[in-house]
């Protein structure tokens, strides 16, 4: 099942206000649809692609995510599986984080593009938590 996000949750993942996401949707920058209750929803894969585009544009602002525990909530933008190893990329606001882990770990966590996740950085390792 593909992940989808409310406007508010998408805004938190992008590090902007819900009004900004609504304006982007109205301008056609990010596709949305209406759920059964009539609320706007952003598909996970669309949010992933848009987050990469947004980060490449650069905002000139300070990073939106800071944590004493080095946690970077974001959205998975790429999953590359090898026979044994895997690479997972997360866009966390303006930050692109890449984690190398086992294929088995990726499969056990069910990590897919468009899924919300948290990258935890410790020294030179990036650990992925499913959100």
């Amino acid at each position: 099942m593909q992940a989808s996000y409310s406007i508010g949750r998408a805004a938190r993942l992008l590090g902007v206000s819900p009004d900004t996401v609504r304006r982007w949707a109205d301008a056609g920058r990010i596709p949305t649809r209406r759920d059964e209750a009539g609320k706007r929803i952003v598909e996970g894969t669309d949010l992933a692609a848009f987050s990469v585009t947004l980060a490449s544009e650069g905002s000139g602002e300070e990073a939106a995510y800071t944590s004493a525990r080095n946690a970077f909530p974001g959205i998975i933008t790429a999953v590359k599986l090898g026979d044994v190893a895997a690479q997972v990329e997360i866009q966390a606001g303006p930050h692109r984080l890449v984690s190398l882990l086992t294929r088995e770990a990726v499969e056990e966590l069910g990590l897919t593009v468009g899924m919300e996740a948290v990258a935890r950085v410790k020294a030179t390792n990036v650990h992925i938590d499913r959100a």
Side-chain angles (χ1 to χ4, degrees):
M1 183 167 111
Q2 179 171 316
S4 59
Y5 300 95
S6 68
I7 292 293
R9 189 68 188 145
R12 284 189 295 281
L13 290 168
L14 294 171
V16 298
S17 74
D19 285 338
T20 297
V21 175
R22 284 187 198 93
R23 282 192 297 274
W24 286 337
D26 291 343
R29 289 192 68 194
I30 185 168
T32 61
R33 66 173 175 83
R34 300 273 179 184
D35 67 8
E36 301 79 30
K39 294 182 179 181
R40 280 184 169 175
I41 298 294
V42 180
E43 295 300 331
T45 52
D46 293 331
L47 184 60
F50 182 73
S51 70
V52 171
T53 300
L54 190 62
S56 69
E57 292 173 358
S59 65
E61 298 176 8
E62 286 293 314
Y65 297 101
T66 60
S67 171
R69 295 187 178 262
N70 301 317
F72 295 84
I75 187 161
I76 297 174
T77 58
V79 176
K80 298 171 186 163
L81 297 175
D83 291 337
V84 176
Q87 178 178 311
V88 176
E89 296 181 23
I90 292 181
Q91 193 70 44
H95 308 290
R96 176 179 165 262
L97 297 112
V98 179
S99 179
L100 301 176
L101 57 164
T102 64
R103 178 185 181 119
E104 181 181 12
V106 171
E107 290 171 346
E108 283 180 7
L109 290 170
L111 301 178
T112 60
V113 171
M115 177 183 282
E116 184 177 352
V118 177
R120 295 196 187 276
V121 180
K122 181 177 180 189
T124 59
N125 297 315
V126 177
H127 302 269
I128 305 293
D129 296 342
R130 181 172 175 174

